[in-house]
Structures are given as C-alpha cells and as structure tokens.
Amino acid sequence: MTKRDLVRYAAQIAPVALPYLRGRALNMHRYPEGADRGGFWHKELPGHAPDWLPRWDNPDADDGESTTYLVVDEPAALIWAANFGALEWHAWTSLTRAPDRPTYALFDLDPGPTTAWDDVVLLARLHRDAFAHLGVRAQPKLTGRRGIQVWVPIAPGPSFDETRAWVERVSRTVGAVVPDLVSWRWEVRERGGLARLDYTQNAVNKTLVAPYSPRAAAGAPVSAPITWDELDEPWLRPDAFTVRTVLDRLAERGDPFRTVLDAGQVLPPLG
C-alpha cells in the first residue's frame, strides 16, 4: 500500500467516517516513513498547516500540552491528515463544545499475548448478553489489530469519571464470568498473557481508533464496525476488512455503526 493509496482511501471513506470525527479534536498517529518504520502521536496542529483547516484551541490545556487540534469537519481535512502521514485517526470521545462530557462509553477488549481469537469473541459475546440484559444500545467494532471494541452512545451529561465507573462495573461483572481469561493488572508484564477489559480509556483526551480508520499493520486493515450477529460468523477475525475491501462491504451492507450517532441514551443504574 502506498501513500497515494492512503490518501485515495481517505477521500473515498470521508463521507462515511466524518460523522464519527466531526466536532471532535483529532489525535493523529503518524507514520511519515511508512507503517513498518514505527509511528508517533501527533496532537498539536503544526504551524505550517493551512489556514482553512478546521481547528480547536483547548482552553484547559496545561503548560507543555498540545493546545491546537485538528477537527475533521470536512472531507478535505481528513485528506490533509492522511497526506500529513496520519495513518491512524483517533478522535476524542467528547465534542469540542463540551470537552469534559463524553458522548460515548468505551469498552476495549484488549487481548494478551496468550489470548486466542476465540476467547476475544467469547468476551465480546458476553458483553452482548450484558447489554441485552441492561437494555443498552451498543455497537461492536473490530480493531484491525487483535481485539474488539464496543461503543455505547450516551447523552452528554455524565462526567468521564462517572462514565468510567459505569464501564468498569460492567466490565468486572463480565470478567467475573471467565476469570481465567482476564487480568485486571495495569502493567502488561504483570497480566500473565491474559486479556484486559480496559475501562481506563474513558477519560479526557483518551481515545480509541475511529471507525474505518486504517491501521499500521500488514495488509492495511481498517477498524471496521460489525453487527452483533457477525460475532457468530466463521469468517470473523480482527483484520477481516482492509482499505481495499471495506468500501465494497459498505456498498453491500451499509454502515452498521450509524446507531451510535443517536446519542440520546441514558446509562441505566447498576444494581
């Protein structure tokens, strides 16, 4: 895959991806030397960026922190980011007009070195059952790496602390069903190769990769939304869709992630 391919993909996917990026600060994961050379996080919009790019100045930035962020409010901004070497796109889970109020609760099913893909799928199915029991609308997404993420749309109101506490409670309840698969240790080396149900991404300026973002991995996979029913499909794998195939899937099936754009949901209390 060439840089030309990446820029072309950004132009093609922009109409589908923009609703998940619009109005949000973007953390760019850049690979200017190519995906095989290692990347780095780039949050601050550079001074040489063209004046027409949408941007946001974070009024709460501390000294030494990034202050001015790219906001992908139009297709040209996403194309610019791709041309800038941003191979992966990570938007904030809060809007710039209310940066301390998330619009999503995030569940990150992060496999460990010894976690089999079948076990990741099992964890996702257990979350599916939990959300059905709670009457919560949620949507799964392949990471394009090894895991699965679940996004729960919420009405702005709860703080990040409140949202994180709710996600942690659900995650620990699910994890208790299969304790042999899950570790709650913070340090990777202390997890014994087990998976982590990471609720800590529910915080200001913490992000999960955006829907339909490419990933810096062999084959150019993308972080592709799936349906809950597709957790039972034999073809399922975390890198099932790439920049070369996901557009055909969208043309055939549409975008299953659109349900998260209805943010009127209130998280139910947990007994």
Side-chain angles (χ1 to χ4, degrees), residues 23-26 43-45 53-61 66-71 92 94-100 204-205:
R24 302 174 188 274
L26 188 74
K43 300 181 180 181
E44 181 77 22
L45 189 66
L53 278 175
R55 63 197 68 202
W56 171 65
D57 293 321
N58 183 6
D60 299 321
S66 300
T67 56
T68 303
Y69 291 79
L70 174 65
V71 180
W92 284 29
S94 57
L95 296 164
T96 57
R97 65 173 180 264
D100 59 342
V204 173
N205 206 348

Side-chain angles (χ1 to χ4, degrees), residues 13 28 34-35 40 47 52 56 60 75 82 84 91 126 131 139 180 203 217 221 235 251:
I13 202 65
M28 296 177 283
F40 57 90
W52 57 263
W56 171 65
D60 299 321
F84 188 50
L126 290 172
F131 296 132
Q139 194 66 40
D180 293 342
W235 53 258

Side-chain angles (χ1 to χ4, degrees), residues 1 100-101 117 198:
M1 179 181 176
D100 59 342
R101 299 293 171 181
W117 172 242
D198 190 359

